[in-house]
Amino acid sequence: MPAKILDGVKVAQEIRTEVAQDVRELQQTTGVTPGLGVVLVGDNPASATYVRTKSKACQEVGAVSETFTLPKTATEQEVLALVARLNHDPRFHGILVQLPLPSQISERKVTVVIDPTKDVDGLHPLNMGLLLEGSPRFIPCTPAGIQQLLLRHGYDLAGKHVVVCGRSNIVGKPVSVLLLQKQRGANATVTVCHTATRDLASITRQADILIVAAGRPNAITGDMVKRGVVVVDVGVNRVSDPAAPRGYRIVGDVDFAGVEPLAEAISPVPGGVGPMTVAMLLANTLKAAKRAAGVATANSKD
Ligand code: GUN
């Protein structure tokens, strides 16, 4: 039987409809319109595309979004000054600095100066700490999207063995911490694999749920999974393809053709995790606006 497809486009649309409804309610009850300030430094084409997608998605749910673009030669001081300005601008409840940044700018320094109450990416150390502690304010968008993609396809993670491939600050670390919490939608046994892991396949074969954020195509092949696994592919890789209109196509980190016949379910690339990341950014921006307007949100312990 072919694997069930974990359809990120469909689930993201559901979430966007819910967010749009909440945005209308917030406007009617408080007059507040959620606002997102986006910082784009340089001319990385993939980053420019992501930022356009996020901005458009904001507008579609009735939020406002403004993008501030700096040249690739911008200094760290200029980026820090822009973030400081957005921290104090009441039109923006959320701030997102698109990563990666050019090499002369420290991503950590920039992340740390974002007002944690506007950090809709959830990457500020304070928000990472709250997540680790089990009382998150903003869950990073891709981990939150992975969790929703699984839950809304009916996969309960409690007691399951989740294997995460990758330990980045943006996906691997926060998703492993998120899914091990003793909370609804989590409570999994989590193993994290990385570039120094010995005999990776012996561990990935134990996965009930395999989350792959390794950053390279074909990191996971059919011989590395057990039958019935549920696979979430976080990878976004450009591979050259002379037959494709742009000369390249986008693939994930998983050898889809080799793994799909063995899997119970698998997320496609594109159309899996990517749209979920955008949907969760909208949800976090709404949450930040509600907080600023004094409206209680679920889990808001801050
Ligand atoms: N670059 C790739 N993914 C992300 C993300 O989720 N947030 C930010 N800020 N930059 C990214």
mmCIF file of all heavy atoms in Angstrom, residues 38-39 46-47 50-51 54 95-101 107 111 114 119-123 140-143 170-171 277-278 281, ligand 1:
data_model
loop_
_atom_site.group_PDB
_atom_site.id
_atom_site.type_symbol
_atom_site.label_atom_id
_atom_site.label_comp_id
_atom_site.label_asym_id
_atom_site.label_seq_id
_atom_site.Cartn_x
_atom_site.Cartn_y
_atom_site.Cartn_z
ATOM 1 N N VAL A 38 9.952 42.292 9.099
ATOM 2 C CA VAL A 38 10.877 41.280 8.584
ATOM 3 C C VAL A 38 12.167 41.970 8.154
ATOM 4 O O VAL A 38 12.126 42.994 7.465
ATOM 5 C CB VAL A 38 10.252 40.536 7.373
ATOM 6 C CG1 VAL A 38 11.212 39.486 6.836
ATOM 7 C CG2 VAL A 38 8.928 39.898 7.762
ATOM 8 N N VAL A 39 13.284 41.409 8.561
ATOM 9 C CA VAL A 39 14.590 41.967 8.184
ATOM 10 C C VAL A 39 15.272 40.995 7.228
ATOM 11 O O VAL A 39 15.434 39.811 7.542
ATOM 12 C CB VAL A 39 15.468 42.190 9.439
ATOM 13 C CG1 VAL A 39 16.854 42.690 9.038
ATOM 14 C CG2 VAL A 39 14.787 43.165 10.397
ATOM 15 N N ALA A 46 17.181 32.414 -2.187
ATOM 16 C CA ALA A 46 16.255 31.563 -1.415
ATOM 17 C C ALA A 46 15.656 32.377 -0.270
ATOM 18 O O ALA A 46 14.436 32.336 -0.032
ATOM 19 C CB ALA A 46 16.978 30.330 -0.879
ATOM 20 N N SER A 47 16.488 33.173 0.422
ATOM 21 C CA SER A 47 15.983 33.995 1.541
ATOM 22 C C SER A 47 14.964 35.008 1.034
ATOM 23 O O SER A 47 13.931 35.236 1.673
ATOM 24 C CB SER A 47 17.129 34.736 2.229
ATOM 25 O OG SER A 47 17.936 33.832 2.930
ATOM 26 N N TYR A 50 11.721 33.212 0.514
ATOM 27 C CA TYR A 50 11.055 32.894 1.790
ATOM 28 C C TYR A 50 10.375 34.124 2.360
ATOM 29 O O TYR A 50 9.239 34.069 2.839
ATOM 30 C CB TYR A 50 12.063 32.371 2.822
ATOM 31 C CG TYR A 50 12.588 30.984 2.562
ATOM 32 C CD1 TYR A 50 13.936 30.687 2.762
ATOM 33 C CD2 TYR A 50 11.756 29.952 2.147
ATOM 34 C CE1 TYR A 50 14.441 29.412 2.540
ATOM 35 C CE2 TYR A 50 12.258 28.678 1.926
ATOM 36 C CZ TYR A 50 13.595 28.420 2.124
ATOM 37 O OH TYR A 50 14.085 27.168 1.903
ATOM 38 N N VAL A 51 11.101 35.261 2.320
ATOM 39 C CA VAL A 51 10.572 36.488 2.918
ATOM 40 C C VAL A 51 9.308 36.948 2.171
ATOM 41 O O VAL A 51 8.317 37.336 2.789
ATOM 42 C CB VAL A 51 11.680 37.575 2.933
ATOM 43 C CG1 VAL A 51 11.111 38.957 3.146
ATOM 44 C CG2 VAL A 51 12.702 37.249 4.020
ATOM 45 N N LYS A 54 6.447 34.705 3.240
ATOM 46 C CA LYS A 54 5.981 34.978 4.607
ATOM 47 C C LYS A 54 5.157 36.271 4.644
ATOM 48 O O LYS A 54 4.110 36.337 5.294
ATOM 49 C CB LYS A 54 7.187 35.095 5.551
ATOM 50 C CG LYS A 54 7.878 33.758 5.805
ATOM 51 C CD LYS A 54 9.195 33.917 6.560
ATOM 52 C CE LYS A 54 9.906 32.582 6.728
ATOM 53 N NZ LYS A 54 11.210 32.700 7.405
ATOM 54 N N ILE A 95 8.970 40.233 15.205
ATOM 55 C CA ILE A 95 10.155 40.588 14.409
ATOM 56 C C ILE A 95 10.793 39.297 13.934
ATOM 57 O O ILE A 95 10.970 38.350 14.716
ATOM 58 C CB ILE A 95 11.189 41.371 15.251
ATOM 59 C CG1 ILE A 95 10.581 42.679 15.759
ATOM 60 C CG2 ILE A 95 12.466 41.643 14.451
ATOM 61 C CD1 ILE A 95 11.457 43.386 16.794
ATOM 62 N N LEU A 96 11.130 39.261 12.648
ATOM 63 C CA LEU A 96 11.818 38.091 12.104
ATOM 64 C C LEU A 96 13.036 38.560 11.316
ATOM 65 O O LEU A 96 12.904 39.400 10.433
ATOM 66 C CB LEU A 96 10.852 37.335 11.183
ATOM 67 C CG LEU A 96 11.413 36.085 10.525
ATOM 68 C CD1 LEU A 96 10.329 35.027 10.451
ATOM 69 C CD2 LEU A 96 11.962 36.351 9.141
ATOM 70 N N VAL A 97 14.194 38.074 11.692
ATOM 71 C CA VAL A 97 15.407 38.352 10.928
ATOM 72 C C VAL A 97 15.700 37.089 10.129
ATOM 73 O O VAL A 97 15.992 36.031 10.710
ATOM 74 C CB VAL A 97 16.596 38.699 11.849
ATOM 75 C CG1 VAL A 97 17.846 38.967 11.016
ATOM 76 C CG2 VAL A 97 16.265 39.906 12.716
ATOM 77 N N GLN A 98 15.575 37.190 8.820
ATOM 78 C CA GLN A 98 15.760 35.997 7.989
ATOM 79 C C GLN A 98 17.209 35.519 8.054
ATOM 80 O O GLN A 98 18.146 36.309 7.902
ATOM 81 C CB GLN A 98 15.350 36.313 6.534
ATOM 82 C CG GLN A 98 15.378 35.121 5.597
ATOM 83 C CD GLN A 98 14.366 34.034 5.939
ATOM 84 O OE1 GLN A 98 13.314 34.305 6.505
ATOM 85 N NE2 GLN A 98 14.690 32.795 5.631
ATOM 86 N N LEU A 99 17.393 34.244 8.286
ATOM 87 C CA LEU A 99 18.716 33.618 8.352
ATOM 88 C C LEU A 99 18.936 32.811 7.074
ATOM 89 O O LEU A 99 17.971 32.372 6.465
ATOM 90 C CB LEU A 99 18.798 32.715 9.579
ATOM 91 C CG LEU A 99 18.502 33.402 10.930
ATOM 92 C CD1 LEU A 99 18.533 32.374 12.049
ATOM 93 C CD2 LEU A 99 19.499 34.514 11.197
ATOM 94 N N PRO A 100 20.154 32.589 6.623
ATOM 95 C CA PRO A 100 21.406 33.021 7.249
ATOM 96 C C PRO A 100 21.695 34.495 6.979
ATOM 97 O O PRO A 100 21.187 35.068 6.017
ATOM 98 C CB PRO A 100 22.437 32.129 6.556
ATOM 99 C CG PRO A 100 21.846 31.833 5.205
ATOM 100 C CD PRO A 100 20.365 31.789 5.404
ATOM 101 N N LEU A 101 22.556 35.065 7.843
ATOM 102 C CA LEU A 101 23.034 36.438 7.648
ATOM 103 C C LEU A 101 24.414 36.389 7.002
ATOM 104 O O LEU A 101 25.130 35.393 7.149
ATOM 105 C CB LEU A 101 23.119 37.139 9.005
ATOM 106 C CG LEU A 101 21.769 37.436 9.675
ATOM 107 C CD1 LEU A 101 21.960 37.886 11.113
ATOM 108 C CD2 LEU A 101 20.986 38.482 8.888
ATOM 109 N N GLU A 107 24.999 35.970 13.903
ATOM 110 C CA GLU A 107 23.571 35.633 14.033
ATOM 111 C C GLU A 107 23.166 35.626 15.503
ATOM 112 O O GLU A 107 22.066 36.025 15.865
ATOM 113 C CB GLU A 107 23.287 34.271 13.380
ATOM 114 C CG GLU A 107 23.370 34.363 11.860
ATOM 115 C CD GLU A 107 23.038 33.078 11.128
ATOM 116 O OE1 GLU A 107 22.764 32.052 11.780
ATOM 117 O OE2 GLU A 107 23.054 33.106 9.891
ATOM 118 N N THR A 111 20.186 37.763 17.186
ATOM 119 C CA THR A 111 19.067 37.040 17.813
ATOM 120 C C THR A 111 18.856 37.513 19.251
ATOM 121 O O THR A 111 17.721 37.655 19.713
ATOM 122 C CB THR A 111 19.375 35.521 17.792
ATOM 123 O OG1 THR A 111 19.616 35.147 16.443
ATOM 124 C CG2 THR A 111 18.217 34.700 18.331
ATOM 125 N N ILE A 114 16.832 40.899 19.788
ATOM 126 C CA ILE A 114 15.386 40.960 19.503
ATOM 127 C C ILE A 114 14.627 40.902 20.829
ATOM 128 O O ILE A 114 14.937 40.077 21.697
ATOM 129 C CB ILE A 114 14.959 39.779 18.596
ATOM 130 C CG1 ILE A 114 15.654 39.873 17.237
ATOM 131 C CG2 ILE A 114 13.439 39.730 18.420
ATOM 132 C CD1 ILE A 114 15.441 38.662 16.335
ATOM 133 N N ASP A 119 9.771 37.950 19.593
ATOM 134 C CA ASP A 119 10.616 36.957 18.915
ATOM 135 C C ASP A 119 9.759 35.802 18.375
ATOM 136 O O ASP A 119 9.764 34.691 18.914
ATOM 137 C CB ASP A 119 11.662 36.446 19.922
ATOM 138 C CG ASP A 119 12.448 35.271 19.406
ATOM 139 O OD1 ASP A 119 12.772 35.251 18.200
ATOM 140 O OD2 ASP A 119 12.710 34.354 20.213
ATOM 141 N N VAL A 120 9.041 36.079 17.281
ATOM 142 C CA VAL A 120 8.095 35.090 16.750
ATOM 143 C C VAL A 120 8.791 33.883 16.098
ATOM 144 O O VAL A 120 8.153 32.886 15.798
ATOM 145 C CB VAL A 120 7.110 35.745 15.753
ATOM 146 C CG1 VAL A 120 6.094 36.596 16.505
ATOM 147 C CG2 VAL A 120 7.844 36.577 14.700
ATOM 148 N N ASP A 121 10.096 33.979 15.916
ATOM 149 C CA ASP A 121 10.884 32.823 15.457
ATOM 150 C C ASP A 121 11.211 31.878 16.614
ATOM 151 O O ASP A 121 11.624 30.743 16.389
ATOM 152 C CB ASP A 121 12.214 33.323 14.873
ATOM 153 C CG ASP A 121 12.304 33.130 13.375
ATOM 154 O OD1 ASP A 121 11.593 32.266 12.848
ATOM 155 O OD2 ASP A 121 13.105 33.848 12.748
ATOM 156 N N GLY A 122 11.103 32.389 17.836
ATOM 157 C CA GLY A 122 11.368 31.566 19.023
ATOM 158 C C GLY A 122 12.823 31.180 19.203
ATOM 159 O O GLY A 122 13.122 30.206 19.887
ATOM 160 N N LEU A 123 13.729 31.949 18.614
ATOM 161 C CA LEU A 123 15.144 31.570 18.632
ATOM 162 C C LEU A 123 15.965 32.309 19.685
ATOM 163 O O LEU A 123 17.138 31.997 19.898
ATOM 164 C CB LEU A 123 15.765 31.789 17.238
ATOM 165 C CG LEU A 123 15.091 30.989 16.115
ATOM 166 C CD1 LEU A 123 15.706 31.358 14.762
ATOM 167 C CD2 LEU A 123 15.216 29.492 16.348
ATOM 168 N N PRO A 140 9.729 27.672 18.104
ATOM 169 C CA PRO A 140 10.268 27.930 16.765
ATOM 170 C C PRO A 140 9.356 27.326 15.687
ATOM 171 O O PRO A 140 8.762 26.248 15.875
ATOM 172 C CB PRO A 140 11.647 27.277 16.812
ATOM 173 C CG PRO A 140 12.044 27.365 18.245
ATOM 174 C CD PRO A 140 10.761 27.146 19.019
ATOM 175 N N CYS A 141 9.239 28.060 14.566
ATOM 176 C CA CYS A 141 8.164 27.776 13.602
ATOM 177 C C CYS A 141 8.261 26.385 12.967
ATOM 178 O O CYS A 141 7.235 25.708 12.799
ATOM 179 C CB CYS A 141 8.152 28.851 12.518
ATOM 180 S SG CYS A 141 7.971 30.497 13.208
ATOM 181 N N THR A 142 9.459 25.958 12.588
ATOM 182 C CA THR A 142 9.547 24.646 11.931
ATOM 183 C C THR A 142 9.236 23.511 12.914
ATOM 184 O O THR A 142 8.414 22.632 12.592
ATOM 185 C CB THR A 142 10.915 24.475 11.233
ATOM 186 O OG1 THR A 142 11.052 25.525 10.271
ATOM 187 C CG2 THR A 142 11.027 23.137 10.541
ATOM 188 N N PRO A 143 9.821 23.500 14.127
ATOM 189 C CA PRO A 143 9.421 22.464 15.086
ATOM 190 C C PRO A 143 7.917 22.471 15.382
ATOM 191 O O PRO A 143 7.277 21.412 15.413
ATOM 192 C CB PRO A 143 10.241 22.813 16.335
ATOM 193 C CG PRO A 143 11.473 23.451 15.781
ATOM 194 C CD PRO A 143 10.997 24.258 14.609
ATOM 195 N N ILE A 170 17.828 25.766 14.932
ATOM 196 C CA ILE A 170 16.559 26.189 14.336
ATOM 197 C C ILE A 170 15.574 25.013 14.204
ATOM 198 O O ILE A 170 14.367 25.198 14.261
ATOM 199 C CB ILE A 170 16.855 26.891 12.986
ATOM 200 C CG1 ILE A 170 15.792 27.881 12.600
ATOM 201 C CG2 ILE A 170 17.112 25.982 11.881
ATOM 202 C CD1 ILE A 170 16.259 28.865 11.535
ATOM 203 N N VAL A 171 16.091 23.780 14.065
ATOM 204 C CA VAL A 171 15.186 22.622 13.924
ATOM 205 C C VAL A 171 15.543 21.487 14.905
ATOM 206 O O VAL A 171 14.754 21.153 15.788
ATOM 207 C CB VAL A 171 15.185 22.048 12.482
ATOM 208 C CG1 VAL A 171 14.160 20.913 12.374
ATOM 209 C CG2 VAL A 171 14.873 23.101 11.440
ATOM 210 N N THR A 277 5.840 25.761 8.324
ATOM 211 C CA THR A 277 6.693 26.768 8.974
ATOM 212 C C THR A 277 6.052 28.150 8.825
ATOM 213 O O THR A 277 5.981 28.929 9.787
ATOM 214 C CB THR A 277 8.100 26.765 8.329
ATOM 215 O OG1 THR A 277 8.685 25.488 8.550
ATOM 216 C CG2 THR A 277 8.998 27.840 8.906
ATOM 217 N N VAL A 278 5.570 28.445 7.638
ATOM 218 C CA VAL A 278 4.950 29.752 7.386
ATOM 219 C C VAL A 278 3.671 29.902 8.227
ATOM 220 O O VAL A 278 3.440 30.944 8.857
ATOM 221 C CB VAL A 278 4.653 29.932 5.880
ATOM 222 C CG1 VAL A 278 3.964 31.268 5.618
ATOM 223 C CG2 VAL A 278 5.930 29.813 5.056
ATOM 224 N N LEU A 281 4.469 30.683 11.785
ATOM 225 C CA LEU A 281 4.921 32.068 11.944
ATOM 226 C C LEU A 281 3.703 32.991 12.110
ATOM 227 O O LEU A 281 3.698 33.907 12.942
ATOM 228 C CB LEU A 281 5.752 32.490 10.729
ATOM 229 C CG LEU A 281 6.137 33.955 10.683
ATOM 230 C CD1 LEU A 281 7.097 34.318 11.812
ATOM 231 C CD2 LEU A 281 6.750 34.308 9.327
HETATM 232 N N1 GUN B 1 15.957 30.557 7.477
HETATM 233 C C1 GUN B 1 15.491 29.316 7.221
HETATM 234 N N2 GUN B 1 14.464 29.015 8.053
HETATM 235 C C2 GUN B 1 14.279 30.093 8.832
HETATM 236 C C3 GUN B 1 13.344 30.394 9.896
HETATM 237 O O1 GUN B 1 12.499 29.591 10.305
HETATM 238 N N3 GUN B 1 13.482 31.625 10.449
HETATM 239 C C4 GUN B 1 14.433 32.520 10.055
HETATM 240 N N4 GUN B 1 14.483 33.688 10.668
HETATM 241 N N5 GUN B 1 15.291 32.274 9.090
HETATM 242 C C5 GUN B 1 15.216 31.067 8.477
#
